[in-house]
Amino acid sequence: MKKAHLNGKVNMEDDGRHFIELPLESKADGKVGELKRWLYGMRPAARAWEDDYSKNLEEIDMKRGCAAPTTFWCAGTGVRCVVHGDDFTFTGKGQELKRIRENMEKWYEIKVRAVLGDEAGDDKKITLLGRTLNWEKDKITIVAGEKHAKRIMEDTGIEEDSNGLACPCVRDWVEKDEEEKLGPEEASAYRQTAARANFIALDR
């Protein structure tokens, strides 16, 4: 999707009316603009975007997941979908995926990055959300991205030939009031490393 969060409509009943200051070049002194759609970066934009694409997908018989509301499935066609922000990944038969594409083009401005498959002209490889998917003769392989792993190693001082941990750590217990708190920069670096580790954990 080329313009994801710009498509989320303001729901007047739930969100009320919202106004913004107009840019100087509009030459609308003393006037404000009323939002019909949320602007990118506004907190409700992501929620409104999710509501918008969910409504459209449900109208073509895609059922929304209960445990993961950004997943969809059509019982009649077997088409499945996973959404991550503005990236939509579908699996299904070629004709059904063509129908999905036609509908998506009616709703939004889209760019199809690849169509993996066996047929002539189908793609055999794509990098998606940092992972490389390879379409092979009898299977699909997923290769985890190395970028985040290398960054974690750099940030923690781990080398390629570093030994793994052979036994559980033993924590030096410290009284609560004696604990040293991380400074703002250290805390930010720690959160970044933890987020990277969480992201790649699924593949490792």
Side-chain angles (χ1 to χ4, degrees):
M1 208 65 59
K2 292 187 177 180
K3 297 179 181 178
H5 294 168
L6 300 181
N7 284 286
K9 294 180 181 178
V10 177
N11 186 326
M12 301 293 185
E13 293 180 11
D14 297 336
D15 302 314
R17 300 174 70 187
H18 291 263
F19 301 88
I20 58 168
E21 293 182 2
L22 296 172
L24 295 175
E25 57 267 26
S26 69
K27 297 179 181 178
D29 295 338
K31 295 182 179 180
V32 295
E34 182 175 4
L35 290 179
K36 300 297 182 186
R37 295 177 181 270
W38 295 108
L39 298 178
Y40 184 80
M42 290 184 158
R43 287 185 179 180
R47 187 204 69 224
W49 166 236
E50 189 175 306
D51 291 343
D52 192 75
Y53 71 69
S54 297
K55 174 182 66 68
N56 287 332
L57 289 174
E58 287 169 344
E59 285 178 358
I60 58 169
D61 300 324
M62 298 287 289
K63 186 176 180 182
R64 196 173 186 182
C66 296
T70 55
T71 61
F72 297 83
W73 176 62
C74 179
T77 63
V79 172
R80 297 176 185 272
C81 172
V82 175
V83 184
H84 185 274
D86 57 4
D87 288 320
F88 289 66
T89 305
F90 291 90
T91 62
K93 294 182 178 178
Q95 192 60 34
E96 295 301 334
L97 295 182
K98 183 180 178 183
R99 184 179 69 90
I100 292 281
R101 178 178 181 167
E102 290 170 353
N103 279 296
M104 296 283 282
E105 288 174 337
K106 292 176 187 175
W107 306 327
Y108 309 113
E109 189 176 348
I110 68 170
K111 177 182 179 182
V112 177
R113 293 183 51 214
V115 178
L116 300 183
D118 278 331
E119 296 181 13
D122 286 347
D123 299 288
K124 306 302 178 191
K125 181 178 181 180
I126 184 176
T127 299
L128 184 66
L129 299 175
R131 301 173 178 94
T132 301
L133 279 68
N134 297 292
W135 183 280
E136 300 179 8
K137 186 176 180 181
D138 56 353
K139 65 187 178 224
I140 298 174
T141 61
I142 300 175
V143 180
E146 291 296 314
K147 180 180 73 173
H148 293 296
K150 288 179 179 177
R151 181 63 188 273
I152 290 172
M153 290 173 69
E154 290 172 8
D155 292 345
T156 56
I158 297 174
E159 303 290 342
E160 288 286 347
D161 58 353
S162 293
N163 292 326
L165 186 65
C167 63
C169 293
V170 178
R171 181 171 190 249
D172 293 327
W173 290 97
V174 181
E175 294 296 328
K176 192 171 183 180
D177 57 356
E178 294 178 9
E179 287 185 357
E180 291 185 23
K181 292 188 177 180
L182 296 176
E185 289 184 10
E186 290 175 309
S188 177
Y190 173 80
R191 285 194 297 271
Q192 287 179 22
T193 300
R196 290 180 194 280
N198 283 333
F199 180 77
I200 66 173
L202 182 65
D203 300 317
R204 290 171 176 260

